[in-house]
């Protein structure tokens, strides 16, 4: 087997849609033909694990196979257990999605060091932007990168020295409002400025939609239209957002396999 591509979802703030985005990414990649493993590092909340367990239960109830990832939750919070869990998942995966907890800890940092693609979801607000950069209260210009941005910078430098590989850091603008506002424009401008200074890419993520909360109990995603039932225009628009997000992540091999995503559901 060739190199396994690691996608690590990391953000010290909660409520950014991190686990929802991680699950949708994993299932979208599985639907496009990738063999996907998922490791949930949050052994207390277990949101990602519960989502995928609900998906297994739905398949059993419907007696129907739908795209799924193999998954584990890291119960033993040690770097040795982390390495062992990833080694197990690597045996049958070409992509591994790691969902870190919404806090800073040693295991999350160890996972970040493995990232080929590091994804930091954030809500589209100055509250969340403060995680990666401080903003002047009058001009809304970036005054300096934050502690978290410095942490990621150091992790990327450490990985480059150890492996010679670069890390693609992607900041994902989740819960984008569908109505243009001064705040939206200011946050976008500040992010673009910080991206140039710190070295990340900014891409649109998943919008603020009730459907994401409704899908969780059945473990379904926006690619599962046949199982969702009644589908409205909002669902179609949300699925297109998902497709565009996956495309923008630039996962190796995705260009050749993204057509099944478009055909799924």
């Amino acid at each position: 087997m060739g190199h396994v591509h690691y996608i690590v979802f990391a953000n010290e703030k909660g409520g950014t849609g991190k686990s929802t985005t991680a699950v949708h990414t994993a299932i979208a990649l599985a639907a496009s033909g990738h063999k996907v493993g998922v490791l949930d590092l949050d052994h207390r909340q277990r949101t990602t694990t519960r989502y995928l367990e609900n998906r297994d239960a739905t398949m059993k109830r419907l007696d129907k196979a739908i795209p799924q990832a193999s998954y584990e939750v890291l119960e033993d919070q040690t770097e040795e257990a982390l390495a062992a869990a990833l080694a197990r998942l690597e045996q049958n995966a070409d992509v591994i999605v790691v969902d870190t907890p919404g806090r800073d800890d040693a295991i999350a940092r160890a996972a970040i060091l493995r990232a080929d693609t590091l994804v930091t979801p954030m809500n589209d607000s100055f509250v969340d932007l403060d995680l990666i950069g401080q903003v002047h209260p009058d001009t809304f210009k970036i005054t300096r990168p934050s502690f978290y941005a410095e942490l990621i910078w150091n992790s990327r430098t450490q990985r480059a020295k150890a492996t010679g590989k670069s890390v693609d850091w992607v900041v994902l603008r989740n819960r984008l409002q569908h109505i243009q506002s001064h705040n939206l424009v200011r946050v976008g401008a500040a992010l673009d400025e910080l991206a140039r200074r710190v070295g990340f890419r900014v891409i649109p993520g998943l919008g603020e939609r009730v459907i994401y909360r409704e899908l969780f109990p059945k473990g379904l995603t926006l690619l599962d239209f046949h199982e969702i039932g009644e589908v409205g225009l909002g669902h179609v628009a949300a699925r297109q957002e998902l497709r565009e997000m996956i495309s923008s992540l630039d996962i190796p091999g995705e260009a050749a396999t993204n057509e099944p995503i478009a055909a799924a559901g």
Side-chain angles (χ1 to χ4, degrees):
M1 177 178 290
H3 173 68
V4 175
H5 190 89
Y6 276 85
I7 310 173
V8 178
F9 285 79
N11 189 325
E12 292 180 12
K13 286 183 178 290
T16 61
K18 179 171 57 61
S19 295
T20 298
T21 308
V23 169
H24 272 73
T25 298
I27 298 304
L29 292 173
S32 72
H34 286 280
K35 294 180 179 179
V36 182
V38 175
L39 184 61
D40 185 354
L41 300 189
D42 195 338
H43 64 298
R44 290 184 289 188
Q45 292 196 21
R46 305 166 65 101
T47 304
T48 296
T49 301
R50 289 288 301 123
Y51 206 127
L52 295 172
E53 287 174 344
N54 291 344
R55 191 170 181 83
D56 278 338
T58 291
M59 282 192 280
K60 183 175 181 180
R61 186 172 61 253
L62 297 177
D63 192 23
K64 177 181 179 181
I66 53 179
Q68 174 65 308
S70 56
Y71 58 94
E72 289 191 29
V73 60
L74 190 69
E75 299 283 4
D76 181 4
Q77 296 282 298
T78 65
E79 291 194 29
E80 293 76 15
L82 172 66
L86 293 175
R88 287 191 295 271
L89 290 169
E90 280 185 351
Q91 293 177 12
N92 191 39
D94 57 78
V95 176
I96 290 180
V97 173
V98 180
D99 186 19
T100 66
R103 61 181 181 272
D104 178 31
D105 62 26
I107 300 304
R109 292 192 185 197
I112 288 171
L113 285 175
R114 291 177 176 262
D116 297 295
T117 302
L118 175 64
V119 184
T120 301
M122 57 166 280
N123 295 329
D124 216 51
S125 73
F126 283 111
V127 174
D128 276 35
L129 177 60
D130 190 65
L131 175 77
I132 53 177
Q134 297 177 13
V135 178
H136 191 279
D138 295 322
T139 65
F140 300 102
K141 297 288 187 179
I142 296 293
T143 57
R144 65 181 301 275
S146 71
F147 170 80
Y148 185 76
E150 292 172 354
L151 185 154
I152 299 301
W153 175 271
N154 292 334
S155 294
R156 295 166 77 192
T157 302
Q158 186 177 342
R159 175 181 166 86
K161 287 181 179 179
T163 67
K165 298 177 181 177
S166 60
V167 179
D168 183 17
W169 185 15
V170 180
V171 171
L172 199 65
R173 293 179 73 180
N174 265 348
R175 296 192 169 120
L176 276 167
Q177 298 301 311
H178 303 292
I179 299 175
Q180 192 78 326
S181 67
H182 289 303
N183 182 73
L184 192 73
V185 173
R186 288 168 175 165
V187 170
L191 268 174
D192 289 343
E193 178 188 347
L194 189 59
R196 290 190 294 270
R197 291 175 59 175
V198 179
F200 56 77
R201 295 192 294 123
V202 182
I203 67 172
L206 305 181
E208 178 61 58
R209 299 180 187 275
V210 176
I211 182 62
Y212 294 112
R213 293 185 286 276
E214 295 176 342
L215 292 172
F216 175 83
K218 294 183 178 180
L220 296 177
T221 73
L222 289 166
L223 297 179
D224 303 308
F225 273 17
H226 291 311
E227 286 68 44
I228 290 174
E230 185 176 347
V231 173
L233 292 177
H235 297 80
V236 175
R239 184 169 68 167
Q240 185 58 33
E241 289 173 355
L242 172 62
R243 290 173 176 165
E244 292 172 359
M245 182 193 78
I246 297 298
S247 177
S248 296
L249 286 175
D250 290 336
I251 305 305
E254 194 53 32
T257 57
N258 62 8
E259 185 58 32
I261 289 182

